[in-house]
Amino acid sequence: IDVMNSQVVCFSPVETAGHIVQILRSNRHNAFPVVEQQGDHRSFRGIVSRSVLIHLLRKKMFGDLREQM
């Protein structure tokens, strides 16, 4: 049984709603790593689940959530 797909689909910390929808429609992954690119260096920032992304899209919670805290 394969546990992990060889094609890792990552999100950056800031994404457009359209790109998120495109990624969700194009695969069946249940979670996605969030990776920040700084020059040649990539930093792991966390994981976001499919269910959280769908919830945010349905509630139209767009924008930088850090500003709302």
Side-chain angles (χ1 to χ4, degrees):
I1 296 175
D2 288 332
V3 177
M4 186 173 154
N5 191 319
S6 61
Q7 295 295 323
V8 178
V9 179
C10 298
F11 283 111
S12 64
V14 178
E15 293 284 358
T16 64
H19 184 245
I20 293 169
V21 169
Q22 177 186 9
I23 295 298
L24 293 177
R25 286 183 175 162
S26 69
N27 66 69
R28 297 178 61 197
H29 301 324
N30 289 317
F32 305 88
V34 179
V35 178
E36 187 170 12
Q37 183 82 33
Q38 296 175 340
D40 292 337
H41 181 70
R42 293 174 60 166
S43 299
F44 175 75
R45 295 294 178 214
I47 294 178
V48 63
S49 69
R50 172 181 287 273
S51 61
V52 166
L53 291 170
I54 291 170
H55 177 77
L56 293 173
L57 290 168
R58 284 185 178 151
K59 296 290 183 178
K60 298 183 180 175
M61 297 179 77
F62 306 127
D64 191 344
L65 296 178
R66 294 173 292 190
E67 293 173 3
Q68 299 174 17
M69 295 180 161

